[in-house]
Amino acid sequence: MLTYLSGLKTASITNCWTKKKATGTISITYEDLMKQTRGADPFKVPDGPENAPGTIVEALSKCGFVAGFQVTLGIPPGIDPASVPDVVLLGNNTQTVTYNMLCSNCRIIRIEYSSDGAEWIHKSQPSTGWIFQSNVDLRLDPVPNTAYGKLPKDVQAQVKNLGADAFGAQHLVFDLNNIGLSQVPTIPGLDPSSYAAIFLTQYFVGTYFAEVQKAGTPVLNYTVVKHDNPVT
């Protein structure tokens, strides 16, 4: 899994939220945020209210920006290879695993407006990364005949030796339809009751595994099985 994760070629995913009286709090794409603010990018402003130029705060305030996070799947760049945690942890329940969601980049923005200005928080994971954990179910799916040629060579050989008409293959994969966040890292300086922290908790898992699916869900194992109704 570490080889799979280190080899991922995914772009950064950015989720943003705005809040207005007319619409309430809504999700907005990063591209739409850039259009509405004419390029005022909150992710380019360092942490601390003293670092937020008035022009950027004004532009973000007009569109009601309140929070956002940005993630890139991968191995944290500053972690010792020997210290990289296992991505998948097995427990007593063989049908569910703990998945450590690692990122090469993870940043979160929170801004709150007042008559005195804006409280600006921009937190980036340390070089060793933050670790989010989720509980993920496993499932065995049959491999269709049309995908036989994509099986590992040793699995193809087993099926061929036993008889392709009577035997086939199954692969063990993550069931990404049933995922639950089990642990969120403590982020110093981020109020857990803030919009940013709440949105991170609610949407991080979906954002992360949507990218995993785009890149191709990894296969954990293969088994050769006898067909219930073999071809005769």
Side-chain angles (χ1 to χ4, degrees), residues 25-127:
T25 305
I26 60 172
S27 175
I28 181 175
T29 68
Y30 175 74
E31 291 72 21
D32 282 344
L33 180 69
M34 290 299 93
K35 289 178 183 178
Q36 292 186 28
T37 63
R38 296 185 179 181
D41 190 346
F43 291 94
K44 292 184 178 179
V45 180
D47 188 32
E50 69 280 2
N51 295 315
T55 53
I56 287 185
V57 172
E58 182 180 359
L60 293 172
S61 174
K62 285 182 178 179
C63 75
F65 175 81
V66 291
F69 67 81
Q70 187 177 82
V71 297
T72 310
L73 278 61
I75 305 296
I79 194 169
D80 183 343
S83 302
V84 178
D86 291 332
V87 176
V88 177
L89 303 175
L90 301 177
N92 296 326
N93 184 350
T94 57
Q95 295 181 329
T96 303
V97 297
T98 297
Y99 193 111
N100 284 325
M101 296 175 285
L102 304 178
C103 299
S104 60
N105 166 59
C106 184
R107 297 188 287 167
I108 183 166
I109 299 284
R110 171 201 173 205
I111 183 170
E112 290 192 5
Y113 309 96
S114 69
S115 57
D116 296 325
E119 182 183 2
W120 186 278
I121 293 177
H122 180 175
K123 298 299 180 184
S124 298
Q125 70 174 16
S127 62

Side-chain angles (χ1 to χ4, degrees), residues 182-196:
S182 60
Q183 182 175 309
V184 178
T186 299
I187 301 175
L190 181 65
D191 182 353
S193 65
S194 66
Y195 281 121

Side-chain angles (χ1 to χ4, degrees), residues 123-145:
K123 298 299 180 184
S124 298
Q125 70 174 16
S127 62
T128 52
W130 288 325
I131 297 179
F132 296 79
Q133 287 189 335
S134 62
N135 296 321
V136 184
D137 290 342
L138 302 176
R139 71 168 189 259
L140 272 171
D141 284 348
V143 177
N145 292 335

